[in-house]
Amino acid sequence: NAGVTQTPKFQVLKTGQSMTLQCAQDMNHNSMYWYRQDPGMGLRLIYYSASEGTTDKGEVPNGYNVSRLNKREFSLRLESAAPSQTSVYFCASVARDRGWTEAFFGQGTRLTVV
Amino acid sequence: QKEVEQNSGPLSVPEGAIASLNCTYSDRGSQSFFWYRQYSGKSPELIMFIYSNGDKEDGRFTAQLNKASQYVSLLIRDSQPSDSATYLCAVTVGYSTLTFGKGTMLLVSP
């Protein structure tokens, strides 16, 4: 049972380049989330998908887009990367239909924009 | 805007002592409360959750919730060096998103 799998684990981008962070879960959860974590800032929500076919903005959505491809997969895209997007990105999935039990996190993607 | 506040620390305790981690939240409608542990360079993992006022114990960990004071805490008894990590408090209102505090770093010295 893999849980939540994120790819890639590390990435270096040049300013203006684009990339997509991939996230897949095999726990049949309805809800999936993208967070970024910066030193001293905690986890901040970028976008979330409460169920397949829906997406909503979180606290810091500017510069990002998301796609809920199917129930398993939720991707995060940076169209034109900026140094301010240097961060660690975490994907999480939650069994929303049973109330809040446990949010499972992927291993994170460490992104550096130069 | 929901806010979750934590002292950033570090909180330093000797091995065997009780570590007390605190968290306050601004939204009185918050219903569910979570404590996550995050080791350096790793992803957060759930330690405990609590929904009702009072105490909830799980091994060496006790979560305490006081909704009137909008306060949730985590006690770690018999602290071990392996407990050294950042502890994240998180809250949610119903099925809404999970809002995290900035975390408290705990250092347990041998």
Side-chain angles (χ1 to χ4, degrees):
Chain A
N1 186 349
V4 180
T5 302
Q6 287 182 237
T7 55
K9 293 183 180 178
F10 301 93
Q11 184 71 50
V12 178
L13 288 178
K14 293 182 179 179
T15 298
Q17 287 184 319
S18 62
M19 79 162 293
T20 299
L21 282 64
Q22 306 286 354
C23 177
Q25 53 95 3
D26 61 5
M27 295 173 287
N28 201 36
H29 289 167
N30 290 320
S31 298
M32 298 183 73
Y33 297 76
W34 277 105
Y35 289 91
R36 61 177 289 174
Q37 188 173 37
D38 303 293
M41 297 298 294
L43 286 160
R44 292 184 293 170
L45 183 64
I46 305 171
Y47 270 94
Y48 67 100
S49 172
S51 62
E52 186 178 356
T54 68
T55 61
D56 286 285
K57 295 179 180 180
E59 180 185 355
V60 289
N62 292 343
Y64 305 95
N65 285 300
V66 291
S67 296
R68 184 73 182 268
L69 304 171
N70 48 55
K71 192 171 185 178
R72 291 187 63 251
E73 298 172 289
F74 187 38
S75 63
L76 178 72
R77 182 161 179 84
L78 288 69
E79 291 292 350
S80 179
S84 60
Q85 294 178 303
T86 293
S87 188
V88 180
Y89 292 85
F90 288 102
C91 175
S93 73
V94 177
R96 182 172 180 264
D97 57 349
R98 294 194 292 276
W100 283 90
T101 54
E102 181 171 356
F104 292 83
F105 284 85
Q107 71 269 46
T109 296
R110 284 157 178 76
L111 175 66
T112 301
V113 183
V114 298
Chain B
Q1 179 73 20
K2 301 169 196 161
E3 292 185 354
V4 179
E5 300 289 339
Q6 295 182 257
N7 187 318
S8 61
L11 173 66
S12 295
V13 300
E15 184 174 358
I18 295 175
S20 177
L21 303 160
N22 305 315
C23 172
T24 59
Y25 58 95
S26 62
D27 190 334
R28 285 197 170 273
S30 299
Q31 296 175 322
S32 305
F33 307 87
F34 303 81
W35 282 100
Y36 284 80
R37 177 176 63 198
Q38 186 176 26
Y39 292 112
S40 181
K42 302 296 184 181
S43 56
E45 56 181 342
L46 183 69
I47 300 175
M48 293 194 68
F49 63 89
I50 185 167
Y51 299 148
S52 304
N53 275 330
D55 295 358
K56 180 180 179 182
E57 187 174 320
D58 184 359
R60 296 187 295 113
F61 299 96
T62 299
Q64 299 175 316
L65 176 61
N66 184 325
K67 289 187 176 181
S69 299
Q70 295 176 246
Y71 177 92
V72 59
S73 65
L74 179 70
L75 300 178
I76 305 175
R77 291 181 299 281
D78 188 23
S79 295
Q80 301 297 310
S82 58
D83 294 326
S84 297
T86 296
Y87 289 79
L88 302 167
C89 174
V91 305
T92 189
V93 178
Y95 285 161
S96 72
T97 57
L98 194 61
T99 301
F100 285 86
K102 295 180 180 180
T104 298
M105 180 182 292
L106 173 66
L107 299 175
V108 181
S109 54

